[in-house]
Amino acid sequence: MRRICAVNRIARPVSGTLLRRLALASIIANVGIVVTGGAVRLTASGLGCPTWPRCTDTSYVNTAEMGVHGVIEFGNRMLTFAVGLIALATLLAVLAHRPRRRGLLPLAVAVFLGIPAQAVIGGITVLTNLNPWVVGLHFLASMAVISAAYALWRRIGDPDGPTVPVVPTPLRTLARITTGVSVAVLVVGTWVTGSGPHAGDHGAARNGLDPESISQVHADVVFLLIGLTVALIFAFRAVGAAGATRAAIVLLAVELSQGVIGFVQYFTHVPALLVGAHMLGSCLVLLATLSMQWSTRERRPAEAPSPWAAAPAAEAEAVPVTA
């Protein structure tokens, strides 16, 4: 009897609170690896370990001869294992959670598998001597993992039930367009980085784009994003979507803060510290964008559908039928 009780204690399902905390830790860890990866590039330590998966041709760890650059690069590689362990713990917690909620497992698997995939892309950046296009892909892969981790965290916090819209269809479309422009800002931002002075190593190539011209393109897309966000704030407020309005206001605040950092770093000749802050800001812009997108719908009990979901049918019934 005692043995059975001990087994039951060990097999006790993971609580939703613990599961959500692990998912939040996964978000923070993945944002952290972006920031530390930026530190590798900004300290010109991108080739501190000149090969991959080993650090040298004969060692998996850095050597004293490699100096501080080897320490920084190898340390960042070790942090990948820490991020992976958090993702694994989250995946195991999802498997142990009862009752098993639909949609959690695919997201947890995506986050867990995204870590080694992102690490492989990082290895390719080393093997290609920090090719700027591959470096940009490495950053965007991290953004994809953060997106999956955020979706997992939000899904855990949502109640069971169908997903229903809280704003009308045109505003959901506008929110999707805004999300697409936000992604475009991140993509074009990697082109700006690839044309700038912080290559990750003094001998690394640049992408050949004119820094001033591509920075202007980046700024134009940012202005478009800010304009769309302002439009969302007024539109959400007009339909009484308080939660969506708050999310859009937070997004605007993050965008403006990130824009200030971007302009200051441009006019101060791209100091490393501000570039690092800008990379953190990119993660925050992504998370704020996802929060805004998520706020356009919510999960409700089946007996309480959204009025916006029923609106098209009601409008159809109101149209007179003529012979």
Side-chain angles (χ1 to χ4, degrees):
M1 188 67 181
R2 291 179 180 176
R3 184 175 300 174
I4 293 174
C5 291
V7 171
N8 287 337
R9 283 196 298 269
I10 295 173
R12 186 169 57 187
V14 172
S15 69
T17 300
L18 176 59
L19 183 56
R20 198 157 195 250
R21 287 175 179 172
L22 285 171
L24 179 60
S26 186
I27 296 173
I28 295 172
N30 279 285
V31 171
I33 201 71
V34 170
V35 175
T36 59
V40 171
R41 181 169 58 84
L42 295 170
T43 57
S45 302
L47 295 178
C49 288
T51 188
W52 187 88
R54 293 176 172 173
C55 194
T56 71
D57 291 334
T58 58
S59 174
Y60 282 97
V61 300
N62 62 301
T63 62
E65 293 78 11
M66 301 169 71
V68 66
H69 295 306
V71 172
I72 294 173
E73 166 64 7
F74 182 72
N76 188 64
R77 292 187 183 188
M78 290 299 98
L79 285 177
T80 301
F81 287 99
V83 176
L85 287 175
I86 295 174
L88 176 60
T90 306
L91 174 58
L92 295 176
V94 167
L95 291 172
H97 184 60
R98 294 293 183 276
R100 179 76 58 79
R101 297 181 60 182
R102 192 174 66 183
L104 296 187
L105 185 57
L107 289 170
V109 170
V111 174
F112 177 65
L113 296 182
I115 306 301
Q118 195 261 10
V120 169
I121 298 174
I124 294 174
T125 66
V126 173
L127 297 177
T128 57
N129 293 318
L130 306 183
N131 181 291
W133 299 107
V134 183
V135 171
L137 179 62
H138 187 45
F139 172 80
L140 295 175
S142 292
M143 296 296 102
V145 176
I146 290 173
S147 299
Y150 180 84
L152 175 61
W153 178 70
R154 286 299 297 259
R155 180 65 186 90
I156 293 169
D158 282 345
D160 286 323
T163 300
V164 294
V166 297
V167 297
T169 300
L171 296 191
R172 297 199 301 276
T173 300
L174 181 60
R176 294 189 191 100
I177 293 173
T178 304
T179 299
V181 173
S182 183
V183 172
V185 167
L186 296 176
V187 173
V188 178
T190 65
W191 302 348
V192 176
T193 299
S195 69
H198 299 291
D201 184 80
H202 298 299
R206 302 284 72 206
N207 59 20
L209 299 176
D210 177 60
E212 185 173 347
S213 298
I214 196 61
S215 294
Q216 183 61 59
V217 172
H218 183 58
D220 291 341
V221 182
V222 169
F223 284 132
L224 174 61
L225 176 61
I226 292 174
L228 289 170
T229 305
V230 171
L232 281 176
I233 292 173
F234 285 103
F236 287 158
R237 181 173 294 175
V239 298
T245 301
R246 287 192 299 270
I249 291 173
V250 171
L251 174 59
L252 179 62
V254 175
E255 289 168 354
L256 293 176
S257 299
Q258 176 75 333
V260 168
I261 296 173
F263 275 110
V264 172
Q265 74 170 7
Y266 179 80
F267 290 109
T268 56
H269 307 292
V270 202
L273 185 61
L274 285 181
V275 174
H278 202 56
M279 293 187 69
L280 174 60
S282 296
C283 297
L284 298 180
V285 167
L286 173 65
L287 291 171
T289 300
L290 294 173
S291 175
M292 178 277 299
Q293 183 66 62
W294 208 275
S295 70
T296 61
R297 82 284 190 283
E298 61 185 30
R299 291 184 181 273
R300 295 177 178 174
E303 61 271 14
S306 165
W308 300 114
E315 291 172 3
E317 293 175 0
V319 175
V321 179
T322 56

